[in-house]
Amino acid sequence: MKKSNINKNALYESHLLEDWFSPKIIASLNNEYIKVVKIKGDKVPWHNHENSDKLFYLLEGKLLMEIESSKAFYMNTGDLFVVQKGINHRVSSVDECKIMLIERKDTLVQFYPRLPKP
């Protein structure tokens, strides 16, 4: 089977998305998926990825990143942030924003309606 190179524009791919909070795989690299997603609002619950890190690259907009036991901060277009495995986090956005995500294909997600009490 012949393999072919992948040439895609992540921002363009994110503009094709119809639904919020529905990541689309646009490519794979070794054992990772490269995804695009658009979000608006605060529907992403607190969660963590117990077996892998996750990279967020903000393609467009402004994203609120909340990390357990840390001060929340905003990411702007062009910003990149890596959430380390096992760290509880959530994201939200007042206005629509578009994100590229890179995570392992076998990423396991654990959701929490609220952060667990220490």
Side-chain angles (χ1 to χ4, degrees):
M1 176 195 280
K2 182 180 176 184
K3 292 187 175 188
S4 62
N5 293 319
I6 298 171
N7 182 8
K8 295 195 178 186
N9 181 295
L11 183 57
Y12 173 80
E13 292 289 330
S14 72
H15 282 282
L16 298 177
L17 297 171
E18 295 181 11
D19 299 317
W20 291 315
F21 308 105
S22 295
K24 176 186 174 189
I25 298 169
I26 62 169
S28 63
L29 173 70
N30 300 317
N31 193 34
E32 281 75 38
Y33 282 132
I34 300 168
K35 302 177 181 181
V36 291
V37 64
K38 67 179 184 177
I39 73 164
K40 181 178 180 182
D42 59 357
K43 292 186 179 182
V44 178
W46 284 101
H47 67 284
N48 72 55
H49 311 275
E50 70 176 32
N51 65 332
S52 65
D53 303 337
K54 184 171 191 173
L55 181 142
F56 289 79
Y57 178 76
L58 200 57
L59 296 167
E60 187 175 85
K62 187 173 185 175
L63 179 73
L64 177 63
M65 175 68 72
E66 296 178 87
I67 305 291
E68 181 181 17
S69 302
S70 297
K71 185 177 177 183
F73 62 94
Y74 284 98
M75 293 178 65
N76 295 296
T77 300
D79 288 349
L80 180 145
F81 185 76
V82 176
V83 176
Q84 301 297 313
K85 68 181 176 181
I87 301 297
N88 292 320
H89 63 284
R90 68 178 174 181
V91 296
S92 60
S93 182
V94 173
D95 298 314
E96 181 178 279
C97 73
K98 296 171 177 71
I99 309 161
M100 182 173 65
L101 307 168
I102 300 176
E103 64 184 350
R104 281 183 20 185
K105 291 178 181 177
D106 62 350
T107 295
L108 302 174
V109 180
Q110 292 187 337
F111 290 100
Y112 299 98
R114 294 184 188 92
L115 278 177
K117 301 273 183 190

